[in-house]
Amino acid sequence: MKLFKILNNNLEDNSKLDNKLFNNINGYSLDCNQRKAIVSNYQNTLVVAGAGSGKTLTIVGKIKYLIEELHVKKEDILCISFTNESVNSLKKKCLYDVLVLTFHKLGLMILKDSKVNYKIASSDTLEYIVNEYFESFIYSNLKVNYFLDYFKMYIKNQDLSIEKIKTKYFKYFLSYKRLIIKFINILKSNDYDVREFRKVYLSYTDKCFLIIALDIYRLYIEELNSKLELDFDMMITKASQVLDRYPLKYNFQYIIIDEFQDTSWVRYKMIKKLQEKLNSKLFLVGDDFQSIYRFSGCTLDLFVNFKDYFKDSHIFYLDRVYRNSQELINISYNFIKKNPYQLRKVLVANKYLKNPVKLIYYKDSDYKEKFYKLLDMIRAKGIKEVLVLGRCNQDINLVYKEKLIDNHIIYKDMALKFLTVHTAKGLESEEVILLNVVDDVLGFPNKIEDNKILNIIFKNKEKYEYAEERRLFYVALTRTKNNIYLFSKRNNESIFLKEIKKSVKVMDIKC
């Protein structure tokens, strides 16, 4: 009898998968794994979607299935994505006018609907406080010795003075200030209270940086309180608290979250409170390989250990890749899987391309010349769509001195767009160029991101060296439909490039 029941359930599931609805989602027929994820009805579903595996189509298909097959009202579906750009992209692709918000917009909506008064602080307030702090204390020679003690350790140089910081070591000073901003942002988004941070402080031997960072954080909180303002992390925490006290005027049966790998603790707590209050079902989509916002407080632990945080749950894997060649998938997967704190998956493509990773060596004197020669070579093949990527915004200055117009580079009749790798996540292009693949503080990997001081306030400790930068490099590799061209110096190659060259042939292009 039990065997008959199992067979009967399988027949029912197969009939759902054969639904004609899935044959045309924005002009594409969904594959078997996409369909399985969509028809599932667990309380909590995680869809692990590799780069280029059609995760947006799966989300659009889920919404269509809920409305047309399960007859869920469109106002009872909430979609959440990470950035305004990804929200707008999802709205354009979605076949129904459902509510699509960022986490921030959701928090603001909860406060507004609960009639809670608030003001949002300017996004540059923290940076302003940091700059003011160093202007008033460092440049006026107050606390100088205390600051220098830590800064000597930061750049590993004992022969240091304020004058040298203002000149020779100024770029390190800028990176030091950015490090403080990241530290405070991680502190906030990880929802630390005073007691928790006291434990961190007592357990860490080098107190210099912590005292400076907390001194700035105190000034930052005082500035916001004096203006009765909240920043976005504080606002989301406030929205979570409001959910316990006020009735809601909406009734979301389904909450769909895109880019779930980039969720922070404060966002997770808000969603869990909302789900518990409304008894909503969660449909979460993302890729742990592309978790690249740890520096802003996002935690991969919620994704990798999904079942520890969400009960009555199931994980589906999208294994068909429609963007990259199998050769590029093999290179990028072998590169990313060296970090043990990643989910193991099988990714398969039906496209093949010999030597998709290509290398251009340059000297400082001929960098720009080689860049434009490469563009001409790509253009000669009839390809006019090229995405130019940098690890940092400043990387474009190495090859293009004119002002960018809407991030576009003007060159002949080609459609060239420059973006940082962070902002390019989710995008694709016929060909991709990655600049500045060198071993430097501001190279790739960027040496600032994995500063050990940041690790003391991550609630999940990721010990693998350059773990975040490795995922970011993976994102860069997988933006292309065809080839990716890496610009590097022969005597100063990125450690990532050296690693790839040990395992696979990388074609050296002469420009």
Side-chain angles (χ1 to χ4, degrees):
M1 185 69 176
K2 189 175 180 181
L3 179 61
F4 176 77
K5 189 174 182 179
I6 293 171
L7 291 172
N8 204 38
N9 285 341
N10 285 338
L11 287 172
E12 184 182 348
D13 289 341
N14 286 333
S15 67
K16 289 180 180 178
L17 298 185
D18 290 337
N19 194 315
K20 291 182 180 180
L21 176 149
F22 299 130
N23 293 340
N24 185 9
I25 303 294
N26 289 350
Y28 296 92
S29 177
L30 300 187
D31 64 37
C32 184
N33 286 340
Q34 290 170 325
R35 298 180 187 214
K36 285 180 180 178
I38 288 171
V39 302
S40 69
N41 204 30
Y42 293 90
Q43 190 70 20
N44 301 290
T45 298
L46 175 66
V47 181
V48 181
S53 63
K55 69 180 179 63
T56 304
L57 277 181
T58 305
I59 290 173
V60 173
K62 179 70 175 182
I63 294 168
K64 186 175 182 181
Y65 178 77
L66 291 176
I67 292 174
E68 295 187 11
E69 292 297 315
L70 302 189
H71 308 294
V72 177
K73 295 178 182 177
K74 65 179 183 179
E75 56 267 25
D76 291 340
I77 301 172
L78 169 66
C79 286
I80 303 171
S81 196
F82 191 70
T83 65
N84 288 323
E85 289 77 10
S86 59
V87 163
N88 291 333
S89 175
L90 190 53
K91 283 181 178 177
K92 289 178 183 176
K93 294 173 182 176
C94 192
L95 304 172
Y96 288 92
D97 184 23
V98 298
L99 186 62
V100 186
L101 302 171
T102 62
F103 281 99
H104 293 151
K105 291 284 178 62
L106 174 61
L108 292 172
M109 185 180 78
I110 291 170
L111 293 182
K112 182 180 178 182
D113 291 347
S114 303
K115 295 182 170 53
V116 175
N117 293 323
Y118 62 88
K119 286 196 296 184
I120 297 298
S122 170
S123 60
D124 61 1
T125 300
L126 179 55
E127 184 177 357
Y128 168 79
I129 295 294
V130 169
N131 289 333
E132 284 290 299
Y133 181 89
F134 287 111
E135 285 290 336
S136 60
F137 289 112
I138 303 303
Y139 287 158
S140 64
N141 291 325
L142 295 173
K143 297 188 179 180
V144 165
N145 291 334
Y146 201 71
F147 170 72
L148 286 177
D149 284 343
Y150 179 75
F151 205 69
K152 286 173 183 177
M153 291 182 280
Y154 180 68
I155 65 170
K156 298 179 175 61
N157 189 327
Q158 296 300 312
D159 181 25
L160 194 62
S161 65
I162 289 296
E163 287 68 32
K164 286 185 178 179
I165 288 175
K166 294 176 183 178
T167 54
K168 184 177 179 181
Y169 295 105
F170 188 69
K171 74 173 183 178
Y172 294 95
F173 181 49
L174 290 177
S175 70
Y176 179 81
K177 292 198 288 186
R178 294 190 197 104
L179 182 63
I180 287 176
I181 291 172
K182 288 167 187 167
F183 183 91
I184 292 173
N185 282 329
I186 293 167
L187 193 71
K188 294 189 292 94
S189 59
N190 276 270
D191 202 23
Y192 272 94
D193 58 26
V194 175
R195 186 180 303 172
E196 284 179 303
F197 191 77
R198 180 174 170 77
K199 290 180 183 177
V200 171
Y201 180 80
L202 292 174
S203 67
Y204 195 66
T205 54
D206 177 19
K207 310 290 194 239
C208 298
F209 176 85
L210 297 182
I211 290 173
I212 291 171
L214 289 179
D215 204 17
I216 291 171
Y217 189 27
R218 176 184 57 79
L219 293 171
Y220 175 65
I221 297 298
E222 288 177 1
E223 175 76 8
L224 295 189
N225 288 342
S226 70
K227 296 180 178 179
L228 301 176
E229 292 178 339
L230 299 170
D231 67 17
F232 278 120
D233 285 320
M234 296 170 183
M235 179 272 296
I236 287 176
T237 299
K238 184 76 171 175
S240 299
Q241 295 166 352
V242 162
L243 287 170
D244 284 332
R245 300 197 299 264
Y246 295 92
L248 300 177
K249 70 177 187 179
Y250 28 78
N251 182 35
F252 301 125
Q253 293 182 42
Y254 288 85
I255 300 174
I256 299 171
I257 303 179
D258 189 15
E259 307 287 6
F260 182 68
Q261 77 278 353
D262 291 322
T263 302
S264 67
W265 285 104
V266 292
R267 294 176 192 138
Y268 160 74
K269 289 180 178 181
M270 179 174 67
I271 291 301
K272 284 294 286 182
K273 284 275 182 73
L274 188 60
Q275 181 190 31
E276 289 165 5
K277 186 147 189 170
L278 301 177
N279 194 31
S280 311
K281 291 189 175 180
L282 295 181
F283 186 80
L284 315 174
V285 184
D287 180 14
D288 56 307
F289 289 1
Q290 299 183 73
S291 178
I292 58 173
Y293 289 101
R294 191 170 187 247
F295 68 88
S296 66
C298 298
T299 174
L300 188 55
D301 195 53
L302 295 168
F303 194 98
V304 173
N305 298 307
F306 174 71
K307 291 190 174 183
D308 293 341
Y309 297 98
F310 298 92
K311 307 306 177 186
D312 184 23
S313 61
H314 193 79
I315 301 176
F316 293 88
Y317 289 82
L318 304 186
D319 59 359
R320 302 295 305 181
V321 175
Y322 300 97
R323 178 190 304 148
N324 309 134
S325 64
Q326 188 64 53
E327 289 81 1
L328 186 62
I329 290 171
N330 294 341
I331 293 169
S332 58
Y333 180 76
N334 289 333
F335 175 78
I336 195 72
K337 75 174 184 181
K338 291 182 180 178
N339 180 358
Y341 195 65
Q342 305 281 174
L343 296 176
R344 292 295 179 258
K345 48 183 88 90
V346 176
L347 299 173
V348 180
N350 58 2
K351 182 164 76 174
Y352 298 90
L353 181 65
K354 189 176 180 180
N355 299 325
V357 179
K358 295 178 169 59
L359 176 60
I360 296 93
Y361 284 116
Y362 68 90
K363 299 175 184 177
D364 289 336
S365 58
D366 64 6
Y367 199 159
K368 186 175 179 180
E369 178 187 352
K370 290 199 170 187
F371 175 74
Y372 285 105
K373 282 185 177 179
L374 174 62
L375 291 183
D376 285 331
M377 289 172 61
I378 295 173
R379 184 171 176 268
K381 295 190 296 183
I383 297 172
K384 296 182 180 179
E385 180 189 291
V386 179
L387 181 61
V388 182
L389 298 178
R391 172 60 187 82
C392 307
N393 276 311
Q394 295 86 345
D395 287 345
I396 190 60
N397 297 331
L398 299 167
V399 295
Y400 192 77
K401 303 297 183 183
E402 291 78 8
K403 183 179 178 180
L404 294 174
I405 301 173
D406 190 28
N407 290 109
H408 280 84
I409 299 169
I410 308 302
Y411 186 71
K412 299 182 179 178
D413 58 348
M414 300 183 74
L416 304 174
K417 191 168 188 176
F418 172 78
L419 295 170
T420 64
V421 182
H422 279 101
T423 54
K425 186 160 74 76
L427 301 180
E428 62 184 22
S429 181
E430 292 295 328
E431 304 275 85
V432 171
I433 297 172
L434 181 61
L435 304 174
N436 208 30
V437 189
V438 296
D439 186 16
D440 189 49
V441 173
L442 297 179
F444 211 156
N446 183 301
K447 305 296 177 64
I448 300 168
E449 300 300 338
D450 274 52
N451 190 291
K452 290 180 175 57
I453 271 189
L454 295 180
N455 287 327
I456 69 171
I457 51 172
F458 285 119
K459 292 189 177 180
N460 63 303
K461 309 297 182 184
E462 195 172 5
K463 297 178 182 178
Y464 198 78
E465 188 176 26
Y466 298 121
E468 178 93 346
E469 290 291 298
R470 183 172 289 270
R471 291 191 289 268
L472 192 62
F473 199 74
Y474 172 85
V475 169
L477 290 175
T478 55
R479 296 311 91 199
T480 185
K481 296 178 184 178
N482 297 301
N483 299 295
I484 180 165
Y485 302 86
L486 309 179
F487 272 79
S488 185
K489 289 185 176 180
R490 194 177 296 277
N491 60 349
N492 193 33
E493 289 180 326
S494 158
I495 57 174
F496 287 167
L497 177 55
K498 288 179 179 178
E499 184 180 317
I500 288 175
K501 286 173 65 179
K502 284 181 181 179
S503 59
V504 70
K505 180 181 178 182
V506 177
M507 183 178 290
D508 186 355
I509 301 294
K510 307 296 182 185
C511 292

